[in-house]
Amino acid sequence: MISLRNITKIYGGRAAVSNLSLEVSEGELCVLIGPSGCGKSTTLRMINRMVDPDQGTVLVSGSNVKSLRPEALRRSIGYVIQSIGLFPHMTVFENVAVVPRLLKWNTGRIKDRVAELLVLTGLEPAIYSRRYPRELSGGEAQRVGVARALAADPPVLLMDEPFGAVDPLTRSKLQAEFLTIQRRLKKTVLFVTHDVEEAVRLSDKIAVLRDGFLIQYDVPEAFITAPADPFVANFLGSDFSLKMLSRRLVKDYCASLSPSESVPPLPRINDKTTMKEALSRFVSSGSNRLLVESSSGAPVGQLELRSLLKPFRG
Amino acid sequence: MKSKHQKSWSFIIFLTVLFMAVVVLFPYFEQALWGFSGKSALISRATLWELTVQHLVLVMLSGTLSLLAAFLLGIFAITPAGREFRDLLLELATIGETFPSVAIIALAVPALGYGMLPTLVALFIYGILPILRNIIVGIENIPAGIVDTAYGTGMTRWQVLAKIEIPLALPVIVAGIRTSVIINISAATIGATVGAGGLGVPIISGIRTYSPLLIIKGSVPVALLAILADNLLGKAEEMLSAWSQGA
């Protein structure tokens, strides 16, 4: 779906991106990660031609982006950046409607689409449509940013640290919501971050960059078993396996209770939380079993401490 | 550039009424002082009302032309082709503001003769500078993330300019227009020395004939006009700045 072939970009005599090749399949979420200045944002921006590579080719849906008008290309690619870039003089509705308007959709269609997207991103249209960006919280503004990127239903999304500017709690919530949306819409996403936890949580594949070079590109599990070099292992951190637990949900690891069994008096945990949070609960409660409950509070099973030890296969 | 206290509509209305009252009532006051054989009646044939209209025509005509020229130059200066001229234009704008308008008018006379034309040309050139500077600076100071996303959504250069950059820079641009207009309201009085008419006529005559009343007759309306324009455009600036921040 997205294919980068030997791309190089030179800024002021220094290569920001060096001979980088990367394939992202349709419906996959690929995270580009690396220290600041590693070229991840530049790589992202070469896909929608915000930056043109000095060498190499970029293919999106099989066509060379160079053969397309930048404006036409960009209207078919969703784009979200860290500062969100909501237009302060436009309402939420107008912000989300930007690309459909550029594509000259009729007003009825735009209205329906904007309402649909606001619902999708968890913003009640009746409340939010007419608000201005400055009347939104950081999390709400990010949701609008995502809604705007999705407006014309582009097959490809480019996201440059989209959740970088919000507090950790909101970020975690936004990540969970975005995952839900992504599982439903199956967009091809290229996602830039420097937050390992975020990469682990969201990605189908992770690409680690350093000084403009692609060091390792693989599924997250592979980074536990076979990091390419000490830099990669070091960058991902010695607690990488713990971070990996945030990819797993409690409900997938809990053993069901037999119907006759009475509800054991154990510390409780919600079935939608991650195994990482479960680990924390094990540590804080000192118990080696947890009672898993649904959001309504009904017990659905129990979680054993050793369920955390299920190996990751890369 | 932003004033600390908000401009109030009531003060603007008060200034307008005061200005009208001065223009309409001053001749009666003058008559009462001088009688029918008054000095001023001999010197200035045009009524104060006519002089005011002349003055406004000078300022508005030159102002409109300045605005158009400033927009063309400003938009040129932010294009890739015009980037080389950007610094030069900003430099010129700064130099131009320190250059006395009397000198521009004086220089225009040998080239264009007496009358309204040299004054118009001088005011036009003089009026471009503050607007041009604020267009360039206003557009350049828009947060990079907003402009980046605008391009990222697939807007063309012109769409970014029309839908994002100009609307967001509007308060700053209006601040430039405000400076330009206020400077030109006072600078236009000098036009009287080269026969352009306007409220400078009684001031110049008053200076020649040692008549404080005549000087007051011209200078009070000019001062009121400048204060009024300042408040009116200041109000516009406030409202636009609230609008561009989404209020």
Side-chain angles (χ1 to χ4, degrees):
Chain A
M1 190 72 182
I2 300 176
S3 176
L4 308 179
R5 295 190 183 156
N6 309 97
I7 53 167
T8 295
K9 180 70 196 177
I10 292 162
Y11 281 126
R14 208 185 133 264
V17 176
S18 297
N19 197 27
L20 185 143
S21 298
L22 188 75
E23 300 275 337
V24 185
S25 323
E26 190 167 349
E28 233 174 38
L29 193 155
C30 167
V31 169
L32 295 176
I33 195 169
S36 335
C38 69
K40 50 193 194 294
S41 287
T42 308
T43 304
L44 188 85
R45 291 164 68 85
M46 283 192 276
I47 293 161
N48 65 352
R49 292 195 66 188
M50 296 293 280
V51 170
D52 278 326
D54 293 316
Q55 280 162 42
T57 44
V58 178
L59 305 177
V60 174
S61 314
S63 42
N64 188 338
V65 295
K66 253 193 166 154
S67 66
L68 302 164
R69 258 181 58 236
E71 290 81 27
L73 174 75
R74 290 173 197 155
R75 286 170 199 176
S76 69
I77 295 178
Y79 186 53
V80 193
I81 61 172
Q82 183 184 359
S83 67
I84 327 165
L86 291 185
F87 306 134
H89 58 309
M90 295 184 187
T91 60
V92 166
F93 180 94
E94 292 168 317
N95 267 287
V96 177
V98 165
V99 180
R101 279 182 179 163
L102 290 172
L103 294 170
K104 301 198 164 37
W105 289 13
N106 66 47
T107 28
R109 189 174 167 208
I110 293 176
K111 252 181 121 176
D112 294 345
R113 182 62 183 159
V114 172
E116 187 187 341
L117 282 162
L118 290 180
V119 171
L120 181 75
T121 50
L123 300 166
E124 174 54 50
I127 297 172
Y128 288 96
S129 282
R130 292 160 99 175
R131 290 216 180 149
Y132 282 93
R134 65 161 202 165
E135 301 167 301
L136 304 174
S137 70
E140 288 163 348
Q142 294 291 357
R143 288 188 177 91
V144 177
V146 172
R148 178 172 62 186
L150 290 169
D153 202 14
V156 174
L157 276 186
L158 303 178
M159 308 179 88
D160 193 347
E161 299 194 34
F163 310 135
V166 290
D167 62 88
L169 196 70
T170 310
R171 186 182 315 154
S172 170
K173 223 173 137 193
L174 288 170
Q175 288 166 349
E177 287 173 10
F178 179 68
L179 263 183
T180 313
I181 293 172
Q182 168 61 7
R183 293 215 172 99
R184 174 134 49 117
L185 302 181
K186 292 255 170 270
K187 300 290 180 191
T188 307
V189 186
L190 214 61
F191 192 109
V192 163
T193 184
H194 57 252
D195 177 354
V196 176
E197 187 108 41
E198 183 166 72
V200 163
R201 188 158 182 201
L202 300 179
S203 64
D204 294 313
K205 276 184 165 180
I206 298 178
V208 180
L209 275 73
R210 182 184 55 186
D211 300 333
F213 289 95
L214 178 61
I215 309 293
Q216 188 172 3
Y217 180 44
D218 216 326
V219 292
E221 288 75 14
F223 289 87
I224 292 186
T225 50
D229 63 11
F231 163 78
V232 171
N234 198 26
F235 181 77
L236 297 177
S238 49
D239 60 345
F240 184 66
S241 319
L242 290 184
K243 288 171 183 153
M244 286 291 288
L245 287 174
S246 65
R247 288 175 70 80
R248 296 179 163 179
L249 292 177
V250 166
K251 65 173 180 207
D252 299 326
Y253 291 85
C254 75
S256 50
L257 292 167
S258 60
S260 56
E261 206 177 340
S262 63
V263 177
L266 292 170
R268 290 169 170 239
I269 189 160
N270 187 282
D271 65 345
K272 286 199 185 60
T273 52
T274 67
M275 288 296 273
K276 194 182 174 202
E277 287 159 292
L279 171 62
S280 174
R281 195 84 181 87
F282 278 119
V283 172
S284 67
S285 66
S287 166
N288 59 6
R289 281 196 303 166
L290 296 176
L291 180 70
V292 180
E293 59 180 19
S294 68
S295 300
S296 61
V300 291
Q302 55 180 338
L303 189 69
E304 298 278 345
L305 181 58
R306 62 186 151 78
S307 63
L308 289 163
L309 302 179
K310 200 162 177 269
F312 290 99
R313 275 186 215 96
Chain B
M1 241 170 279
K2 220 170 167 182
S3 56
K4 279 184 205 84
H5 60 93
Q6 292 231 318
K7 310 276 176 204
S8 75
W9 278 119
S10 47
F11 187 56
I12 291 169
I13 293 165
F14 166 73
L15 280 171
T16 316
V17 172
L18 186 64
F19 175 73
M20 299 298 267
V22 167
V23 171
V24 172
L25 298 177
F26 199 90
Y28 295 102
F29 172 64
E30 212 179 7
Q31 243 170 35
L33 265 181
W34 294 103
F36 287 103
S37 58
K39 243 180 181 173
S40 98
L42 293 172
I43 295 157
S44 150
R45 269 156 291 148
T47 65
L48 191 56
W49 184 246
E50 284 165 345
L51 293 173
T52 303
V53 171
Q54 281 175 0
H55 203 91
L56 284 173
V57 166
L58 270 175
V59 172
M60 284 181 172
L61 197 59
S62 64
T64 312
L65 294 172
S66 302
L67 187 60
L68 284 173
F71 254 97
L72 291 177
L73 284 171
I75 285 160
F76 169 69
I78 56 166
T79 59
R83 217 149 259 288
E84 300 175 41
F85 298 94
R86 176 197 166 275
D87 292 341
L88 182 71
L89 284 169
L90 279 180
E91 197 78 17
L92 271 178
T94 313
I95 294 170
E97 270 177 28
T98 57
F99 201 78
S101 45
V102 189
I104 300 186
I105 295 182
L107 286 170
V109 170
L112 302 163
Y114 279 87
M116 223 165 163
L117 194 61
T119 312
L120 265 180
V121 170
L123 294 182
F124 161 69
I125 294 172
Y126 214 66
I128 294 175
L129 308 171
I131 307 178
L132 174 62
R133 188 190 51 212
N134 281 29
I135 288 176
I136 297 176
V137 173
I139 288 179
E140 285 178 349
N141 282 353
I142 296 168
I146 293 177
V147 180
D148 189 68
T149 327
Y151 283 110
T153 58
M155 291 189 193
T156 63
R157 177 73 196 99
W158 294 110
Q159 284 168 332
V160 173
L161 195 64
K163 288 173 196 249
I164 308 295
E165 291 181 327
I166 291 178
L168 291 180
L170 219 44
V172 181
I173 296 175
V174 170
I177 296 174
R178 181 176 164 199
T179 311
S180 164
V181 167
I182 293 160
I183 291 173
N184 277 357
I185 286 174
S186 43
T189 51
I190 300 157
T193 55
V194 297
L199 291 166
V201 174
I203 298 176
I204 304 291
S205 318
I207 292 170
R208 282 195 192 127
T209 58
Y210 306 104
S211 162
L213 193 65
L214 270 177
I215 297 175
I216 289 168
K217 183 181 174 184
S219 55
V220 168
V222 167
L224 283 174
L225 206 55
I227 298 169
L228 180 59
D230 181 41
N231 276 274
L232 207 57
L233 288 164
K235 189 79 201 167
E237 200 182 315
E238 264 170 26
M239 288 164 74
L240 284 168
S241 130
W243 168 80
S244 69
Q245 291 312 309

